[in-house]
Amino acid sequence: MDNERIDQIIDKHHHEASSLIQVLLEIQGENHWLPKEALARVAEKLQVPLTRVQHIATFYKAFSLVPKGRHEIHICMGTACHVRGATRVLDTVQDLTGIKPGETDLDLKFSLQTVNCLGCCALGPVMEVDGKTHGKMAPSKTAEVLKNYE
Amino acid sequence: MSDITFTIDGREVSATPGMTVLEAARAAGITIPTLCHHEKLEPYGGCRLCIVELEARGSTRLVVSCVYPVEKNLVVKTRSEKVDRIRKMILQLLLAHAPDAFDLQDLARQYGADRDRFEKEPSFCVHCGLCVRYCNEVKKKNAIGFVDRGIRKEISFIPQIAAKECWSCKECFPLCPTEALQAAYVLAKALAFPGDGAKG
Amino acid sequence: MGSGGMIVMDEDTCMPDVARYFLDFLTDESCGKCVPCREGMRQMLKLLTNITQGKGKEGDIELLEELAETAQEAALCALGKSSPNPFLSTLKYFRDEYEAHVKEKRCPALSCKELIAYYIDPAKCNACTTCGKKCPTGAIIGGKNLIHMIDQEKCTKCGTCFEVCPPKFRAVTKISGVPVPPPLPEEARTIVRESKQK
């Protein structure tokens, strides 16, 4: 992402320090992650210490400081999914992709993340790939789902 | 505005409005242990060691004295069985990270805290935030900040700023209750490997 | 806790594991500013994880109670102050489950992976080979007309065999707190099907 686009986003928010999170969210939305240069640019333009920008960018889970894979897998670890075996689903997905939650594989195919509730507890355990919900997951069904993604 | 009078450990103490219980106690020569407090900095309320028992309007409760403003007719007890028990637990939790910090060892002796109560994870940093806040509030350089949250929270220097400001300042080092080890370590690392990611 | 939705759990849900689960969530959500929350939860989560993995020690439950008091009384915000609640309420109503984990290394709900073993009841197994085909690690020994057994060394306790065993047999069971029964001698494992003898 180039500085020009970052500046446009900052302009939209009138250079206000209080819009810091909004600005970061928009950059994250377009770029899928926050490069270090972008953080430095935002800090400079909004007149916010870089320490603060860095704290916020690492504090919230919505932000990522590392590039994401082409497909984002979200596995729900909410209470309902948990009691219905989400841990076993997660274990199998980890084995299949070779990555742990929060990681991205080397060829940038999958990023794996656990989330705390996807809001469809009746379908638990739930796995979401690129926004598409796969309900009533079982460890034996995960490979079937994942092989549809390239 | 007139002075506020209240009691700490049975002694009558007077304070000006806006003072905290901790400040009033220190002014009267009464000791309350602290880790994250510093006169030059805004109260933080992070270490919770300065917890005291409070009697007001007929009920007893625990508050942290470094952020609690004085009130008329407060009755403060700086030691009680419960207060001591909580301070002891806090010290034990911190000793798991900085088992050799002198400040912690002194307090541990006083409160009977066992430095081996929890499995050790020597990270040195006890997250008192003194270095971070001093750099921000007093020096206004913001060379060091916190990253991440919860149990993964760490202090981290910004290499570009640290390379310019820190060698000539280092005022945060003596503030560190765990002998500045972590600050020195993180700083050296940040300067030596400036490209080593946000976590420095 | 959470959205306010009601979740029904039965005897198949392990209470120490539920407490561990909530603590895991809360540890993740903690901001990390105050000691009772950040450090207290770190230790509580460690202790609860140990308990659910069968590494619980005598005195762990009491230490958890002490940590819970510290968090309730001294944490800075409501998240920290209420963080021990899942532990305290499960302990209040299901202390026996905690004690079974710590003292007998047994999970009464048969849900803690480290404390259970999957076992095929030879009296119920019909040697249908369904589980053998689905097992991801090839831990099922046996074949057609040969009663199946689980190689406990290879078993990853994924539970697939338990899921796929046809309901009319229900031969795959979970056991906890007792050693896995010794395998049947080779000669006793062959099933002679009556229909085929005619």
Side-chain angles (χ1 to χ4, degrees):
Chain A
M1 193 174 207
D2 53 19
N3 280 339
E4 210 175 304
R5 182 67 194 121
I6 295 174
D7 291 350
Q8 276 174 11
I9 293 173
I10 293 170
D11 285 343
K12 207 173 99 191
H13 290 280
H14 314 293
H15 293 250
E16 283 199 40
S18 56
S19 304
L20 174 60
I21 293 182
Q22 271 312 318
V23 169
L24 292 178
L25 274 174
E26 276 185 41
I27 299 174
Q28 166 87 27
E30 282 183 26
N31 196 46
H32 302 294
W33 67 291
L34 300 173
K36 241 181 6 190
E37 295 71 30
L39 295 185
R41 186 81 181 175
V42 170
E44 187 196 320
K45 289 275 169 177
L46 294 184
Q47 293 287 299
V48 178
L50 186 53
T51 44
R52 194 167 164 73
V53 178
Q54 207 177 67
H55 190 189
I56 287 170
T58 52
F59 191 94
Y60 294 104
K61 277 206 178 156
F63 300 125
S64 169
L65 295 183
V66 287
K68 287 275 175 189
R70 291 190 298 284
H71 305 293
E72 291 190 39
I73 310 173
H74 291 157
I75 295 181
C76 183
M77 287 283 141
T79 321
C81 290
H82 175 79
V83 296
R84 298 179 71 158
T87 329
R88 291 191 291 122
V89 172
L90 177 65
D91 284 350
T92 340
V93 172
Q94 287 188 35
D95 287 346
L96 288 169
T97 55
I99 46 173
K100 291 201 182 82
E103 293 178 351
T104 300
D105 56 11
L106 279 177
D107 36 1
L108 294 184
K109 185 173 169 192
F110 289 121
S111 289
L112 178 59
Q113 223 172 356
T114 56
V115 289
N116 284 318
C117 188
L118 287 167
C120 43
C121 307
L123 293 177
V126 176
M127 172 165 101
E128 195 184 77
V129 188
D130 291 344
K132 190 175 179 312
T133 308
H134 302 272
K136 302 220 187 287
M137 268 299 144
S140 47
K141 287 193 211 158
T142 49
E144 200 69 21
V145 173
L146 292 182
K147 80 171 185 233
N148 295 323
Y149 295 90
E150 254 325 298
Chain B
M1 266 217 266
S2 59
D3 278 5
I4 293 174
T5 52
F6 66 106
T7 352
I8 303 180
D9 291 343
R11 267 175 60 186
E12 190 121 307
V13 172
S14 68
T16 47
M19 267 172 113
T20 63
V21 171
L22 177 70
E23 285 165 347
R26 294 226 160 143
I30 298 167
T31 30
I32 297 175
T34 58
L35 272 180
C36 69
H37 180 79
H38 190 282
E39 323 63 277
K40 285 190 193 165
L41 303 175
E42 287 292 310
Y44 185 62
C47 73
R48 320 302 283 175
L49 261 189
C50 64
I51 199 159
V52 292
E53 213 169 82
L54 201 74
E55 240 175 78
R57 293 177 284 273
S59 64
T60 319
R61 61 199 175 106
L62 296 174
V63 298
V64 265
S65 58
C66 72
V67 288
Y68 199 88
V70 290
E71 274 168 37
K72 212 176 151 201
N73 298 333
L74 278 182
V75 179
V76 177
K77 265 169 51 189
T78 63
R79 297 287 290 258
S80 78
E81 206 184 306
K82 203 168 188 177
V83 164
D84 284 9
R85 198 162 65 231
I86 286 166
R87 286 185 190 159
K88 178 178 160 185
M89 184 54 88
I90 291 173
L91 289 167
Q92 290 176 151
L93 287 167
L94 293 177
L95 282 163
H97 290 285
D100 297 318
F102 295 130
D103 290 7
L104 290 180
Q105 284 180 343
D106 288 347
L107 286 167
R109 263 191 295 278
Q110 213 176 321
Y111 289 91
D114 174 6
R115 74 197 272 271
D116 300 317
R117 185 77 194 262
F118 296 103
E119 200 187 318
K120 300 227 176 31
E121 282 176 62
S123 59
F124 306 106
C125 182
V126 292
H127 302 80
C128 64
L130 284 174
C131 52
V132 172
R133 288 179 293 137
Y134 193 85
C135 196
N136 169 284
E137 292 174 30
V138 178
K139 304 296 289 186
K140 307 213 186 304
K141 298 292 185 200
N142 295 299
I144 183 167
F146 282 119
V147 290
D148 220 323
R149 69 179 187 204
I151 57 173
R152 291 179 308 276
K153 195 169 176 178
E154 283 175 12
I155 48 169
S156 166
F157 282 89
I158 305 270
Q160 301 90 306
I161 305 175
K164 268 198 300 216
E165 311 285 351
C166 293
W167 287 127
S168 58
C169 168
K170 291 186 197 146
E171 285 174 34
C172 61
F173 282 21
L175 297 178
C176 179
T178 66
E179 302 298 296
L181 279 169
Q182 178 73 352
Y185 167 69
V186 179
L187 170 60
K189 206 170 118 193
L191 291 173
F193 309 105
D196 198 22
K199 278 198 160 187
Chain C
M1 182 66 64
S3 57
M6 192 192 274
I7 291 162
V8 182
M9 303 180 195
D10 60 11
E11 66 278 8
D12 292 335
T13 301
C14 169
M15 285 302 131
D17 186 61
V18 167
R20 184 206 57 78
Y21 162 78
F22 278 118
L23 246 296
D24 190 45
F25 166 75
L26 289 163
T27 313
D28 207 39
E29 293 299 315
S30 165
C31 81
K33 180 170 172 174
C34 76
V35 182
C37 174
R38 183 187 69 240
E39 298 306 328
M41 280 212 270
R42 186 204 301 270
Q43 298 299 342
M44 285 185 79
L45 179 61
K46 236 194 227 172
L47 289 163
L48 284 169
T49 309
N50 281 347
I51 288 177
T52 55
Q53 292 180 345
K55 289 181 256 168
K57 289 190 298 287
E58 204 69 39
D60 278 3
I61 299 175
E62 290 71 24
L63 180 54
L64 276 164
E65 284 176 307
E66 271 182 65
L67 285 162
E69 191 209 11
T70 310
Q72 277 185 322
E73 296 289 353
L76 182 119
C77 78
L79 183 129
K81 280 187 200 293
S82 61
S83 64
N85 289 357
F87 162 70
L88 290 172
S89 56
T90 49
L91 184 73
K92 185 172 167 198
Y93 296 106
F94 303 97
R95 192 180 259 271
D96 53 329
E97 286 199 28
Y98 280 91
E99 281 168 359
H101 279 77
V102 175
K103 291 185 184 143
E104 301 162 46
K105 310 288 176 220
R106 179 173 66 88
C107 175
L110 300 172
S111 110
C112 293
K113 231 175 154 182
E114 278 79 3
L115 294 179
I116 60 162
Y118 284 89
Y119 171 66
I120 299 175
D121 186 345
K124 289 184 182 165
C125 178
N126 259 7
C128 69
T129 70
T130 309
C131 57
K133 282 180 202 145
K134 293 274 182 177
C135 177
T137 57
I140 311 255
I141 312 164
K144 220 173 168 197
N145 293 337
L146 196 61
I147 288 178
H148 305 341
M149 295 187 314
I150 296 174
D151 182 343
Q152 298 294 339
E153 297 281 302
K154 279 193 192 164
C155 178
T156 55
K157 297 178 190 172
C158 70
T160 302
C161 52
F162 184 79
E163 260 166 48
V164 299
C165 184
K168 56 183 173 186
F169 304 144
R170 284 190 194 284
V172 182
T173 53
K174 294 188 264 190
I175 51 177
S176 179
V178 288
V180 180
L184 283 185
E186 200 66 32
E187 58 277 12
R189 284 180 56 210
T190 315
I191 298 185
V192 181
R193 297 195 195 265
E194 285 174 16
S195 57
K196 283 182 183 164
Q197 279 187 322
K198 277 178 194 169

